[in-house]
Short mmCIF file of all heavy atoms in Angstrom, two decimals:
data_model
loop_
_atom_site.label_atom_id
_atom_site.label_comp_id
_atom_site.label_asym_id
_atom_site.label_seq_id
_atom_site.Cartn_x
_atom_site.Cartn_y
_atom_site.Cartn_z
N MET P 1012 -4.70 -21.29 4.09
CA MET P 1012 -5.03 -20.43 2.86
C MET P 1012 -3.71 -20.29 2.01
O MET P 1012 -2.63 -20.10 2.59
CB MET P 1012 -5.41 -19.05 3.33
CG MET P 1012 -6.88 -18.98 3.87
SD MET P 1012 -7.28 -17.40 4.49
CE MET P 1012 -7.13 -16.44 2.98
N ALA P 1013 -3.94 -20.40 0.83
CA ALA P 1013 -2.77 -20.26 -0.07
C ALA P 1013 -2.43 -18.76 -0.22
O ALA P 1013 -3.30 -17.92 -0.36
CB ALA P 1013 -3.07 -20.77 -1.51
N SER P 1014 -1.17 -18.45 -0.15
CA SER P 1014 -0.76 -17.04 -0.32
C SER P 1014 -0.73 -16.65 -1.70
O SER P 1014 -0.14 -17.24 -2.61
CB SER P 1014 0.61 -16.85 0.37
OG SER P 1014 1.50 -17.59 -0.27
N LYS P 1015 -1.47 -15.43 -1.96
CA LYS P 1015 -1.37 -14.93 -3.25
C LYS P 1015 -0.40 -13.79 -3.43
O LYS P 1015 -0.20 -13.14 -2.52
CB LYS P 1015 -2.75 -14.38 -3.62
CG LYS P 1015 -3.91 -15.42 -3.86
CD LYS P 1015 -5.20 -14.82 -4.23
CE LYS P 1015 -6.04 -14.44 -3.16
NZ LYS P 1015 -7.28 -13.97 -3.47
N PRO P 1016 0.28 -13.90 -4.57
CA PRO P 1016 1.18 -12.68 -4.75
C PRO P 1016 0.50 -11.33 -4.83
O PRO P 1016 -0.65 -11.28 -5.51
CB PRO P 1016 1.89 -13.03 -6.12
CG PRO P 1016 0.91 -13.91 -6.86
CD PRO P 1016 0.15 -14.67 -5.80
N ASP P 1017 1.06 -10.35 -4.30
CA ASP P 1017 0.47 -9.04 -4.28
C ASP P 1017 0.43 -8.49 -5.75
O ASP P 1017 1.44 -8.55 -6.46
CB ASP P 1017 1.26 -8.04 -3.51
CG ASP P 1017 1.08 -8.33 -2.03
OD1 ASP P 1017 0.16 -8.97 -1.71
OD2 ASP P 1017 1.92 -7.85 -1.20
N PRO P 1018 -0.72 -8.15 -6.30
CA PRO P 1018 -0.74 -7.53 -7.60
C PRO P 1018 -0.13 -6.18 -7.68
O PRO P 1018 -0.10 -5.49 -6.69
CB PRO P 1018 -2.28 -7.39 -7.83
CG PRO P 1018 -2.92 -7.37 -6.45
CD PRO P 1018 -1.95 -8.06 -5.52
N ASP P 1019 0.43 -6.03 -8.80
CA ASP P 1019 1.14 -4.69 -8.98
C ASP P 1019 0.11 -3.62 -9.11
O ASP P 1019 -0.93 -3.76 -9.74
CB ASP P 1019 1.94 -4.66 -10.30
CG ASP P 1019 3.20 -5.50 -10.06
OD1 ASP P 1019 3.59 -5.81 -8.99
OD2 ASP P 1019 3.84 -5.80 -11.08
N VAL P 1020 0.34 -2.54 -8.34
CA VAL P 1020 -0.54 -1.44 -8.37
C VAL P 1020 0.07 -0.19 -8.82
O VAL P 1020 1.21 0.09 -8.40
CB VAL P 1020 -1.12 -1.12 -6.92
CG1 VAL P 1020 -2.09 -0.02 -6.89
CG2 VAL P 1020 -1.78 -2.43 -6.43
N ILE P 1021 -0.55 0.40 -9.79
CA ILE P 1021 0.04 1.64 -10.34
C ILE P 1021 -0.53 2.83 -9.63
O ILE P 1021 -1.70 2.99 -9.49
CB ILE P 1021 -0.21 1.75 -11.91
CG1 ILE P 1021 0.27 0.51 -12.59
CG2 ILE P 1021 0.48 2.97 -12.48
CD1 ILE P 1021 1.83 0.36 -12.53
N TYR P 1022 0.42 3.74 -9.15
CA TYR P 1022 -0.06 4.98 -8.62
C TYR P 1022 0.36 6.11 -9.52
O TYR P 1022 1.45 6.22 -10.00
CB TYR P 1022 0.49 5.16 -7.21
CG TYR P 1022 0.01 4.15 -6.26
CD1 TYR P 1022 0.71 3.02 -6.01
CD2 TYR P 1022 -1.21 4.45 -5.53
CE1 TYR P 1022 0.20 2.10 -5.07
CE2 TYR P 1022 -1.64 3.49 -4.55
CZ TYR P 1022 -0.92 2.32 -4.39
OH TYR P 1022 -1.48 1.41 -3.41
N VAL P 1023 -0.60 7.07 -9.70
CA VAL P 1023 -0.34 8.21 -10.55
C VAL P 1023 -0.08 9.37 -9.70
O VAL P 1023 -0.80 9.66 -8.80
CB VAL P 1023 -1.48 8.46 -11.56
CG1 VAL P 1023 -1.19 9.70 -12.33
CG2 VAL P 1023 -1.79 7.29 -12.30
N CYS P 1024 1.02 10.01 -9.86
CA CYS P 1024 1.42 11.18 -9.05
C CYS P 1024 0.43 12.33 -9.19
O CYS P 1024 -0.05 12.60 -10.33
CB CYS P 1024 2.80 11.68 -9.53
SG CYS P 1024 3.36 13.08 -8.64
N GLY P 1025 0.05 12.87 -8.11
CA GLY P 1025 -0.97 13.99 -8.12
C GLY P 1025 -0.33 15.27 -8.56
O GLY P 1025 -1.04 16.24 -8.79
N ASP P 1026 1.00 15.27 -8.69
CA ASP P 1026 1.62 16.54 -9.17
C ASP P 1026 2.13 16.49 -10.60
O ASP P 1026 1.72 17.27 -11.45
CB ASP P 1026 2.89 16.81 -8.26
CG ASP P 1026 3.43 18.17 -8.48
OD1 ASP P 1026 2.70 19.15 -8.87
OD2 ASP P 1026 4.66 18.38 -8.30
N CYS P 1027 2.94 15.44 -10.90
CA CYS P 1027 3.51 15.51 -12.28
C CYS P 1027 2.89 14.47 -13.15
O CYS P 1027 3.07 14.47 -14.35
CB CYS P 1027 5.05 15.28 -12.18
SG CYS P 1027 5.49 13.54 -11.75
N GLY P 1028 2.04 13.55 -12.56
CA GLY P 1028 1.29 12.55 -13.44
C GLY P 1028 2.10 11.45 -13.75
O GLY P 1028 1.68 10.50 -14.48
N GLU P 1029 3.32 11.30 -13.15
CA GLU P 1029 4.09 10.09 -13.44
C GLU P 1029 3.54 8.88 -12.78
O GLU P 1029 2.98 8.98 -11.69
CB GLU P 1029 5.53 10.39 -12.82
CG GLU P 1029 6.48 9.16 -13.03
CD GLU P 1029 6.97 9.11 -14.44
OE1 GLU P 1029 6.86 10.12 -15.18
OE2 GLU P 1029 7.55 8.01 -14.75
N GLU P 1030 3.59 7.81 -13.56
CA GLU P 1030 3.09 6.59 -12.95
C GLU P 1030 4.15 5.84 -12.13
O GLU P 1030 5.32 5.64 -12.64
CB GLU P 1030 2.61 5.69 -14.16
CG GLU P 1030 1.35 6.25 -14.79
CD GLU P 1030 0.89 5.28 -15.95
OE1 GLU P 1030 1.50 4.22 -16.12
OE2 GLU P 1030 -0.16 5.54 -16.46
N ASN P 1031 3.72 5.44 -10.96
CA ASN P 1031 4.67 4.76 -10.09
C ASN P 1031 4.23 3.39 -9.77
O ASN P 1031 3.03 3.19 -9.32
CB ASN P 1031 4.78 5.58 -8.78
CG ASN P 1031 5.52 6.91 -9.05
OD1 ASN P 1031 6.70 7.07 -8.87
ND2 ASN P 1031 4.74 7.92 -9.43
N ASN P 1032 5.02 2.42 -9.93
CA ASN P 1032 4.65 1.12 -9.62
C ASN P 1032 5.21 0.72 -8.24
O ASN P 1032 6.36 0.55 -8.07
CB ASN P 1032 5.22 0.16 -10.73
CG ASN P 1032 4.72 -1.30 -10.50
OD1 ASN P 1032 4.23 -1.62 -9.44
ND2 ASN P 1032 4.77 -2.07 -11.49
N LEU P 1033 4.27 0.84 -7.27
CA LEU P 1033 4.73 0.67 -5.86
C LEU P 1033 4.37 -0.73 -5.34
O LEU P 1033 3.25 -1.18 -5.66
CB LEU P 1033 4.19 1.73 -4.97
CG LEU P 1033 4.67 3.17 -5.39
CD1 LEU P 1033 4.01 4.16 -4.42
CD2 LEU P 1033 6.11 3.34 -5.38
N LYS P 1034 5.15 -1.29 -4.57
CA LYS P 1034 4.76 -2.51 -3.87
C LYS P 1034 4.79 -2.21 -2.37
O LYS P 1034 5.28 -1.16 -1.87
CB LYS P 1034 5.82 -3.51 -4.22
CG LYS P 1034 5.68 -3.98 -5.64
CD LYS P 1034 6.87 -4.88 -6.15
CE LYS P 1034 6.80 -5.16 -7.53
NZ LYS P 1034 7.99 -6.00 -8.05
N ARG P 1035 4.39 -3.27 -1.67
CA ARG P 1035 4.38 -3.16 -0.24
C ARG P 1035 5.75 -2.88 0.34
O ARG P 1035 6.68 -3.58 -0.02
CB ARG P 1035 3.80 -4.45 0.35
CG ARG P 1035 2.43 -4.17 0.97
CD ARG P 1035 1.97 -5.48 1.61
NE ARG P 1035 0.56 -5.77 1.20
CZ ARG P 1035 -0.10 -6.78 1.58
NH1 ARG P 1035 0.38 -7.75 2.38
NH2 ARG P 1035 -1.34 -6.94 1.30
N GLY P 1036 5.79 -1.85 1.18
CA GLY P 1036 7.08 -1.60 1.83
C GLY P 1036 7.83 -0.43 1.01
O GLY P 1036 8.72 0.11 1.57
N ASP P 1037 7.39 -0.14 -0.13
CA ASP P 1037 8.05 0.90 -0.82
C ASP P 1037 7.63 2.33 -0.21
O ASP P 1037 6.54 2.41 0.33
CB ASP P 1037 7.57 0.96 -2.35
CG ASP P 1037 8.31 -0.12 -3.11
OD1 ASP P 1037 9.23 -0.74 -2.56
OD2 ASP P 1037 7.98 -0.32 -4.31
N VAL P 1038 8.42 3.32 -0.39
CA VAL P 1038 8.13 4.64 0.17
C VAL P 1038 7.09 5.14 -0.77
O VAL P 1038 7.07 5.16 -2.01
CB VAL P 1038 9.36 5.51 0.03
CG1 VAL P 1038 9.01 6.95 0.59
CG2 VAL P 1038 10.51 4.96 0.88
N PHE P 1039 6.03 5.64 -0.08
CA PHE P 1039 4.77 6.08 -0.80
C PHE P 1039 5.00 7.62 -1.26
O PHE P 1039 4.50 8.50 -0.70
CB PHE P 1039 3.59 6.03 0.11
CG PHE P 1039 2.29 6.04 -0.66
CD1 PHE P 1039 1.79 4.92 -1.33
CD2 PHE P 1039 1.51 7.25 -0.74
CE1 PHE P 1039 0.63 4.93 -1.98
CE2 PHE P 1039 0.34 7.21 -1.39
CZ PHE P 1039 -0.14 6.10 -2.01
N LYS P 1040 5.74 7.69 -2.28
CA LYS P 1040 5.86 8.95 -2.92
C LYS P 1040 6.35 8.80 -4.44
O LYS P 1040 6.89 7.74 -4.78
CB LYS P 1040 6.87 9.83 -2.17
CG LYS P 1040 8.23 9.34 -2.26
CD LYS P 1040 9.18 10.34 -1.52
CE LYS P 1040 10.65 9.92 -1.68
NZ LYS P 1040 11.56 10.90 -0.98
N CYS P 1041 6.14 9.86 -5.25
CA CYS P 1041 6.49 9.85 -6.56
C CYS P 1041 8.04 9.69 -6.71
O CYS P 1041 8.76 10.42 -6.05
CB CYS P 1041 6.03 11.03 -7.25
SG CYS P 1041 6.50 11.21 -8.98
N ARG P 1042 8.41 8.84 -7.57
CA ARG P 1042 9.81 8.58 -7.79
C ARG P 1042 10.44 9.66 -8.70
O ARG P 1042 11.59 9.87 -8.80
CB ARG P 1042 10.03 7.22 -8.48
CG ARG P 1042 9.92 6.13 -7.39
CD ARG P 1042 10.08 4.72 -8.03
NE ARG P 1042 9.75 3.72 -6.99
CZ ARG P 1042 9.54 2.38 -7.26
NH1 ARG P 1042 9.60 2.12 -8.60
NH2 ARG P 1042 9.33 1.58 -6.40
N GLU P 1043 9.50 10.37 -9.43
CA GLU P 1043 10.03 11.38 -10.35
C GLU P 1043 10.29 12.69 -9.64
O GLU P 1043 11.27 13.38 -9.85
CB GLU P 1043 8.91 11.51 -11.47
CG GLU P 1043 9.32 12.48 -12.56
CD GLU P 1043 10.49 11.93 -13.37
OE1 GLU P 1043 10.69 10.72 -13.44
OE2 GLU P 1043 11.24 12.67 -13.95
N CYS P 1044 9.23 13.16 -8.90
CA CYS P 1044 9.33 14.49 -8.27
C CYS P 1044 9.24 14.47 -6.74
O CYS P 1044 9.52 15.49 -6.08
CB CYS P 1044 8.20 15.32 -8.76
SG CYS P 1044 6.57 14.88 -8.32
N GLY P 1045 8.91 13.27 -6.15
CA GLY P 1045 8.95 13.21 -4.77
C GLY P 1045 7.63 13.57 -4.08
O GLY P 1045 7.48 13.62 -2.88
N PHE P 1046 6.61 13.90 -4.88
CA PHE P 1046 5.38 14.32 -4.37
C PHE P 1046 4.68 13.13 -3.66
O PHE P 1046 4.86 11.94 -4.04
CB PHE P 1046 4.47 14.74 -5.55
CG PHE P 1046 3.24 15.54 -5.12
CD1 PHE P 1046 3.43 16.81 -4.55
CD2 PHE P 1046 1.98 15.13 -5.30
CE1 PHE P 1046 2.40 17.62 -4.18
CE2 PHE P 1046 0.94 15.93 -4.92
CZ PHE P 1046 1.09 17.16 -4.40
N ARG P 1047 4.02 13.43 -2.53
CA ARG P 1047 3.57 12.34 -1.68
C ARG P 1047 2.09 12.04 -1.82
O ARG P 1047 1.49 11.22 -1.03
CB ARG P 1047 3.79 12.65 -0.21
CG ARG P 1047 5.37 12.53 0.07
CD ARG P 1047 5.57 13.10 1.41
NE ARG P 1047 7.03 13.10 1.67
CZ ARG P 1047 7.59 12.20 2.57
NH1 ARG P 1047 6.85 11.34 3.22
NH2 ARG P 1047 8.90 12.31 2.72
N ILE P 1048 1.39 12.66 -2.72
CA ILE P 1048 -0.05 12.34 -2.93
C ILE P 1048 -0.03 11.61 -4.23
O ILE P 1048 0.08 12.16 -5.40
CB ILE P 1048 -0.89 13.64 -2.96
CG1 ILE P 1048 -0.76 14.26 -1.59
CG2 ILE P 1048 -2.28 13.16 -3.28
CD1 ILE P 1048 -1.53 15.66 -1.54
N LEU P 1049 -0.53 10.36 -4.17
CA LEU P 1049 -0.60 9.48 -5.32
C LEU P 1049 -1.95 8.91 -5.47
O LEU P 1049 -2.61 8.63 -4.48
CB LEU P 1049 0.45 8.37 -5.25
CG LEU P 1049 1.88 8.74 -5.03
CD1 LEU P 1049 2.77 7.56 -4.91
CD2 LEU P 1049 2.46 9.61 -6.22
N PHE P 1050 -2.49 8.80 -6.69
CA PHE P 1050 -3.73 8.23 -6.90
C PHE P 1050 -3.62 6.84 -7.46
O PHE P 1050 -2.79 6.63 -8.34
CB PHE P 1050 -4.52 9.11 -7.84
CG PHE P 1050 -4.73 10.44 -7.37
CD1 PHE P 1050 -3.91 11.52 -7.78
CD2 PHE P 1050 -5.72 10.72 -6.41
CE1 PHE P 1050 -4.05 12.82 -7.23
CE2 PHE P 1050 -5.93 12.02 -5.95
CZ PHE P 1050 -5.10 13.08 -6.27
N LYS P 1051 -4.46 6.00 -6.87
CA LYS P 1051 -4.36 4.56 -7.32
C LYS P 1051 -4.95 4.51 -8.76
O LYS P 1051 -5.95 5.01 -9.16
CB LYS P 1051 -5.25 3.75 -6.40
CG LYS P 1051 -4.83 2.33 -6.37
CD LYS P 1051 -5.62 1.60 -5.22
CE LYS P 1051 -5.01 0.31 -4.77
NZ LYS P 1051 -5.70 -0.30 -3.75
N LYS P 1052 -4.34 3.64 -9.57
CA LYS P 1052 -4.74 3.43 -10.88
C LYS P 1052 -4.88 1.83 -11.09
O LYS P 1052 -3.96 1.13 -10.72
CB LYS P 1052 -3.79 4.00 -11.88
CG LYS P 1052 -4.18 3.74 -13.31
CD LYS P 1052 -3.04 4.32 -14.22
CE LYS P 1052 -3.35 4.06 -15.63
NZ LYS P 1052 -2.31 4.54 -16.63
N ARG P 1053 -6.07 1.51 -11.66
CA ARG P 1053 -6.18 -0.02 -11.91
C ARG P 1053 -5.30 -0.41 -13.06
O ARG P 1053 -5.25 0.26 -14.06
CB ARG P 1053 -7.63 -0.28 -12.15
CG ARG P 1053 -8.45 -0.31 -10.92
CD ARG P 1053 -10.00 -0.25 -11.26
NE ARG P 1053 -10.80 -0.10 -10.02
CZ ARG P 1053 -11.43 -1.13 -9.44
NH1 ARG P 1053 -11.28 -2.32 -9.87
NH2 ARG P 1053 -12.07 -0.92 -8.35
N VAL P 1054 -4.79 -1.51 -12.88
CA VAL P 1054 -4.00 -2.11 -14.00
C VAL P 1054 -4.82 -3.04 -14.80
O VAL P 1054 -5.34 -3.95 -14.14
CB VAL P 1054 -2.73 -2.85 -13.37
CG1 VAL P 1054 -1.82 -3.42 -14.53
CG2 VAL P 1054 -1.90 -1.96 -12.55
N PRO P 1055 -4.86 -2.78 -16.06
CA PRO P 1055 -5.78 -3.70 -16.87
C PRO P 1055 -4.97 -5.09 -17.00
O PRO P 1055 -3.80 -5.12 -17.27
CB PRO P 1055 -5.82 -2.99 -18.23
CG PRO P 1055 -4.63 -2.07 -18.24
CD PRO P 1055 -4.36 -1.71 -16.74
N HIS P 1056 -5.77 -6.15 -16.82
CA HIS P 1056 -5.23 -7.41 -16.89
C HIS P 1056 -5.36 -7.88 -18.37
O HIS P 1056 -6.53 -8.18 -18.76
CB HIS P 1056 -5.77 -8.35 -15.98
CG HIS P 1056 -5.32 -8.07 -14.53
ND1 HIS P 1056 -4.12 -8.47 -14.04
CD2 HIS P 1056 -5.86 -7.32 -13.56
CE1 HIS P 1056 -3.97 -8.04 -12.79
NE2 HIS P 1056 -5.01 -7.35 -12.41
N THR P 1057 -4.28 -8.05 -19.05
CA THR P 1057 -4.42 -8.56 -20.40
C THR P 1057 -4.23 -10.01 -20.58
O THR P 1057 -4.52 -10.56 -21.66
CB THR P 1057 -3.41 -7.79 -21.34
OG1 THR P 1057 -2.14 -7.95 -20.78
CG2 THR P 1057 -3.71 -6.33 -21.32
N LYS P 1058 -3.81 -10.67 -19.47
CA LYS P 1058 -3.55 -12.07 -19.56
C LYS P 1058 -4.94 -12.80 -19.56
O LYS P 1058 -5.83 -12.47 -18.81
CB LYS P 1058 -2.75 -12.58 -18.42
CG LYS P 1058 -1.37 -11.96 -18.47
CD LYS P 1058 -0.61 -12.54 -17.23
CE LYS P 1058 0.80 -11.98 -17.19
NZ LYS P 1058 1.58 -12.32 -15.93
N THR P 1059 -4.95 -13.83 -20.44
CA THR P 1059 -6.19 -14.59 -20.48
C THR P 1059 -6.08 -15.66 -19.46
O THR P 1059 -5.09 -16.37 -19.28
CB THR P 1059 -6.35 -15.27 -21.88
OG1 THR P 1059 -6.37 -14.22 -22.87
CG2 THR P 1059 -7.69 -16.06 -21.92
N LYS P 1060 -7.10 -15.70 -18.65
CA LYS P 1060 -7.15 -16.82 -17.52
C LYS P 1060 -7.45 -18.05 -18.24
O LYS P 1060 -8.37 -18.26 -18.90
CB LYS P 1060 -8.18 -16.33 -16.56
CG LYS P 1060 -7.85 -16.93 -15.18
CD LYS P 1060 -8.84 -16.30 -14.16
CE LYS P 1060 -8.39 -16.65 -12.72
NZ LYS P 1060 -9.23 -15.98 -11.75
N ARG P 1061 -6.62 -18.99 -17.73
CA ARG P 1061 -6.86 -20.44 -18.32
C ARG P 1061 -7.31 -21.28 -17.23
O ARG P 1061 -6.74 -21.27 -16.07
CB ARG P 1061 -5.50 -20.90 -18.94
CG ARG P 1061 -5.20 -20.26 -20.18
CD ARG P 1061 -3.90 -20.82 -20.84
NE ARG P 1061 -3.51 -20.05 -22.01
CZ ARG P 1061 -2.40 -20.35 -22.71
NH1 ARG P 1061 -1.68 -21.42 -22.30
NH2 ARG P 1061 -2.10 -19.69 -23.77
N PHE P 1062 -8.19 -22.18 -17.49
CA PHE P 1062 -8.56 -23.10 -16.61
C PHE P 1062 -8.03 -24.50 -17.00
O PHE P 1062 -8.29 -25.02 -18.08
CB PHE P 1062 -10.16 -23.16 -16.51
CG PHE P 1062 -10.74 -21.97 -15.95
CD1 PHE P 1062 -11.17 -20.85 -16.72
CD2 PHE P 1062 -10.78 -21.77 -14.57
CE1 PHE P 1062 -11.65 -19.73 -16.22
CE2 PHE P 1062 -11.22 -20.60 -13.99
CZ PHE P 1062 -11.77 -19.58 -14.85
N ILE P 1063 -7.26 -25.06 -16.12
CA ILE P 1063 -6.69 -26.36 -16.49
C ILE P 1063 -7.38 -27.44 -15.74
O ILE P 1063 -7.48 -27.38 -14.53
CB ILE P 1063 -5.13 -26.34 -16.17
CG1 ILE P 1063 -4.42 -25.26 -16.93
CG2 ILE P 1063 -4.57 -27.71 -16.40
CD1 ILE P 1063 -3.03 -25.03 -16.53
N ALA P 1064 -7.91 -28.39 -16.44
CA ALA P 1064 -8.69 -29.41 -15.84
C ALA P 1064 -7.72 -30.49 -15.33
O ALA P 1064 -7.02 -31.13 -16.15
CB ALA P 1064 -9.64 -30.05 -16.84
N ALA P 1065 -7.73 -30.64 -14.03
CA ALA P 1065 -6.87 -31.66 -13.46
C ALA P 1065 -7.57 -33.00 -13.47
O ALA P 1065 -8.70 -33.06 -12.96
CB ALA P 1065 -6.43 -31.34 -12.07
N ASN P 1066 -6.92 -33.97 -14.08
CA ASN P 1066 -7.72 -35.22 -14.17
C ASN P 1066 -7.42 -36.12 -12.99
O ASN P 1066 -6.31 -36.54 -12.74
CB ASN P 1066 -7.14 -35.95 -15.46
CG ASN P 1066 -8.23 -37.04 -15.88
OD1 ASN P 1066 -9.32 -37.05 -15.35
ND2 ASN P 1066 -7.75 -37.92 -16.82
ZN1 ZN Y 365 5.43 13.27 -9.44
#
């Protein structure tokens, strides 16, 4: 299986509302206020997917 890069996931702090971009291994808490309850937020993908035909 080809390894896929982990997509960036935005977490919104349940206290101050700050958006935190956390990756695997990061401490799961708000970087702004230290609150530990974060809500997952979907990141809109604005990139257009391209299909390249391999000849
Ligand atoms: Zn916070």
